[in-house]
Amino acid sequence: MGRGKVQLKRIENKINRQVTFSKRRNGLLKKAHEISVLCDAEVAVVVFSPKGKLYEYATDSSMDKILERYERYSYAEKALISAESESEGNWCHEYRKLKAKIETIQKCHKHLMGEDLDSLNLKELQQLEQQLESSLKHIRSRKSHLMMESISELQKKERSLQEENKALQKELVERQKAASRQQQQQQQQQQVQWEQHAHTQAQAHAQAQAQTQAQAQTSSSSSSFMMRDHQQARVPQQNICYPPATMGGESSSVAAPGQGQIRIGGLPPWMLSHLNA
């Protein structure tokens, strides 16, 4: 049985209208895909449902490029048709162009944020997923690069700190050596001072001993001299007197009776003791 001719008018039944829309929409998108593949053509299809839901299809060159190309061609045609209203048309066209770009950017931003994904089909979701994966790769590579730079900077700081630490350790060792040398010099100086002090004390002690010995000798000589005087005092003194000369120039010695000493010219007794000895 042949298929009857369908009248091109609005379908009043809501369910039939929705079914027909779904079938014709899928057929339209399928035909657009077939013509793009078979004829290597750039195809862009935009369909809004009665409820305002968007359905679109575009070849690999993306919808934005096709729309921009369409706007350039439509703008060229309008420029040829109406030269008088060129400025006004340019502004209106530029406005529409910028408005379309803003809407597209907002839409892409929502899609990237995971919002309003109901209007996307499987292929568009796959493209969005690939785009997100590519963005993640770029983000991770940039993150890795920054982390490597920070690690290299930290390594440089670590090397500089190690060098400073080595320099400080070297300076500390030198200071310790200088302090030990200074301490040794001080010990040597103290030892020299102690030796000089000991030598001075020894000299003083020797001088004291010498003075003591001299005093002892002096005291012994004085004691012996006093003992000798004491012994001489016990011996009878002899006084030797020289009488005055006689007239004839002869001299005579007269000893006084009862005296055992001879006094000679008035000499002291200690000289007489040496003479008698």
Side-chain angles (χ1 to χ4, degrees):
M1 184 175 179
R3 185 177 178 182
K5 186 176 180 180
V6 179
Q7 295 181 359
L8 295 176
K9 65 178 183 178
R10 182 175 182 273
I11 300 174
E12 299 295 335
N13 191 353
K14 185 176 181 180
I15 297 173
N16 293 335
R17 187 170 62 247
Q18 184 65 31
V19 172
T20 304
F21 174 79
S22 298
K23 291 181 179 180
R24 294 298 180 95
R25 182 200 65 205
N26 293 332
L28 179 62
L29 297 177
K30 184 178 179 182
K31 293 294 183 181
H33 177 67
E34 289 176 355
I35 193 173
S36 65
V37 173
L38 294 175
C39 302
D40 194 14
E42 292 183 359
V43 180
V45 178
V46 178
V47 179
F48 288 94
S49 66
K51 295 181 180 180
K53 193 173 182 179
L54 175 65
Y55 297 93
E56 62 180 358
Y57 171 80
T59 54
D60 296 335
S61 59
S62 77
M63 179 69 74
D64 294 334
K65 292 182 179 180
I66 295 174
L67 291 176
E68 288 177 359
R69 187 175 178 182
Y70 169 75
E71 288 175 356
R72 287 197 301 270
Y73 277 91
S74 62
Y75 174 73
E77 290 177 357
K78 288 179 181 179
L80 293 174
I81 292 172
S82 177
E84 295 178 356
S85 60
E86 181 179 1
S87 59
E88 184 179 356
N90 288 337
W91 287 111
C92 293
H93 179 68
E94 191 70 21
Y95 169 75
R96 289 193 298 269
K97 182 179 179 180
L98 293 174
K99 185 177 179 180
K101 282 185 177 181
I102 291 171
E103 291 177 353
T104 305
I105 291 171
Q106 290 177 352
K107 182 179 177 182
C108 292
H109 182 264
K110 288 181 179 180
H111 291 167
L112 292 173
M113 295 298 294
E115 300 176 356
D116 196 13
L117 299 177
D118 296 335
S119 61
L120 300 178
N121 55 18
L122 181 60
K123 186 176 180 180
E124 291 172 347
L125 291 173
Q126 289 177 352
Q127 291 178 356
L128 181 62
E129 185 178 6
Q130 291 176 359
Q131 185 178 359
L132 291 174
E133 288 178 354
S134 177
S135 301
L136 286 174
K137 287 180 181 179
H138 290 296
I139 293 169
R140 287 169 182 169
S141 64
R142 179 60 180 169
K143 180 182 177 182
S144 302
H145 181 68
L146 292 176
M147 289 179 67
M148 292 298 294
E149 288 181 352
S150 62
I151 290 170
S152 63
E153 290 179 357
L154 291 174
Q155 289 177 352
K156 289 180 181 178
K157 289 182 180 179
E158 184 180 3
R159 286 194 293 269
S160 64
L161 290 174
Q162 288 178 355
E163 290 177 356
E164 290 180 359
N165 191 12
K166 289 180 181 179
L168 291 174
Q169 288 180 354
K170 186 176 180 181
E171 185 178 357
L172 180 61
V173 170
E174 290 179 354
R175 288 186 178 181
Q176 289 178 353
K177 288 181 180 179
S180 63
R181 286 196 298 268
Q182 187 176 2
Q183 187 175 4
Q184 289 178 359
Q185 290 177 359
Q186 290 178 357
Q187 290 178 356
Q188 290 177 359
Q189 291 178 359
Q190 289 178 359
Q191 187 175 1
V192 170
Q193 291 177 359
W194 291 341
E195 290 177 354
Q196 291 178 357
H197 183 67
H199 183 65
T200 305
Q201 287 182 353
Q203 288 181 354
H205 184 65
Q207 290 178 1
Q209 287 181 354
Q211 290 178 1
T212 304
Q213 290 178 0
Q215 291 177 0
Q217 290 178 0
T218 306
S219 62
S220 62
S221 62
S222 63
S223 62
S224 63
F225 183 74
M226 291 175 67
M227 289 175 66
R228 190 177 296 172
D229 290 340
H230 184 67
Q231 290 176 359
Q232 289 177 2
R234 292 182 182 179
V235 178
Q237 295 181 359
Q238 295 180 358
N239 294 325
I240 301 173
C241 299
Y242 295 95
T246 60
M247 296 297 293
E250 297 177 354
S251 63
S252 62
S253 62
V254 180
Q259 292 180 356
Q261 295 180 355
I262 301 172
R263 188 172 184 133
I264 302 173
L267 294 173
W270 60 274
M271 293 182 69
L272 292 175
S273 66
H274 285 289
L275 291 174
N276 291 329

